[in-house]
Amino acid sequence: MALVKVKPTRIDQAIASEIARDTNSGIEQAAQTLTWAADEHVLLALAAAGWLYAQIRRPEARPAANHVLAVSLASAVLPHLLKSLFDQIRPDRLTLLGHAHGVPISGRSRDAFPSGHALHMGALASAAGLLNSVPRRLVRSTAVALSLTRVVVLAHWTSDVVAGFALGVIVERLLRPFTLAKRPPQASWIRP
């Protein structure tokens, strides 16, 4: 039993009702497939592979790879900690109409708040601020789209996704000073 019970807002309920009424199995299957791209296991594997590649082949990319790996680890752990504190039923547990239209069952029933997938995507979107303009826009728009798939499959209320995304941005920004800090140049030792 969690310490805090979170209730969906009226807007959350209205959005979920619209999705349940107007969706179909094709939309739900597509969204369910896309949502895997924001899964913590996929992101951790990619971050670890990128980190390893930077260590072996691209020493100049090591600070960025260290940052991405640290952010990925933090954004993978934080949702689990928060879900042990907050208790909220997922919208897919409250709809018969949605299941008739193809809505799948997602995760544990009372783990709606916050969206871990959106938290990962918020962290990624924030880290994209370190990229040039075109890749930054591409990463950010992809992160938002992947986060919204969690609403489409009724795994989360809209507010869960917004909160998760915002928390991801905060996590990434809090880690920047530690993982991307400029290190002072080492003093050279001169013999007298």
Side-chain angles (χ1 to χ4, degrees):
M1 191 76 173
L3 296 174
V4 179
K5 186 172 183 145
V6 179
K7 293 185 178 186
T9 66
R10 286 184 188 171
I11 294 171
D12 286 332
Q13 292 171 340
I15 291 170
S17 293
E18 282 293 313
I19 291 168
R21 188 183 55 162
D22 295 335
T23 195
N24 62 54
S25 60
I27 291 170
E28 292 300 318
Q29 287 175 354
Q32 195 173 18
T33 300
L34 287 172
T35 199
W36 278 102
D39 183 76
E40 71 184 66
H41 300 98
V42 171
L43 295 173
L44 283 172
L46 290 173
W51 181 85
L52 189 58
Y53 178 75
Q55 302 310 307
I56 296 169
R57 298 278 187 172
R58 302 269 316 268
E60 71 280 3
R62 286 179 186 162
N66 292 342
H67 179 67
V68 169
L69 184 59
V71 168
S72 297
L73 288 168
S75 70
V77 171
L78 185 59
H80 296 288
L81 295 174
L82 292 173
K83 287 178 186 211
S84 69
L85 297 174
F86 296 100
D87 191 16
Q88 183 181 43
I89 196 159
R90 292 181 186 269
D92 66 8
R93 298 316 199 278
L94 303 175
T95 179
L96 291 175
L97 179 62
H99 295 305
H101 290 160
V103 171
I105 299 289
S106 299
R108 294 184 358 203
S109 65
R110 298 198 172 270
D111 277 356
F113 187 84
S115 168
H117 286 70
L119 197 147
H120 309 316
M121 291 296 98
L124 182 65
S126 181
L130 302 170
L131 300 172
N132 292 326
S133 177
V134 173
R136 178 178 59 240
R137 286 188 197 122
L138 178 64
V139 169
R140 286 182 172 167
S141 59
T142 301
V144 168
L146 291 175
S147 295
L148 291 176
T149 64
R150 303 304 286 163
V151 176
V152 173
V153 297
L154 296 181
H156 293 283
W157 304 99
T158 304
S159 59
D160 303 337
V161 170
V162 171
F165 200 91
L167 284 169
V169 171
I170 291 167
V171 165
E172 191 275 335
R173 295 301 170 120
L174 288 174
L175 287 175
R176 273 189 191 190
F178 301 105
T179 59
L180 295 175
K182 300 265 187 210
R183 298 201 174 159
Q186 293 183 350
S188 59
W189 296 94
I190 303 173
R191 290 187 169 177

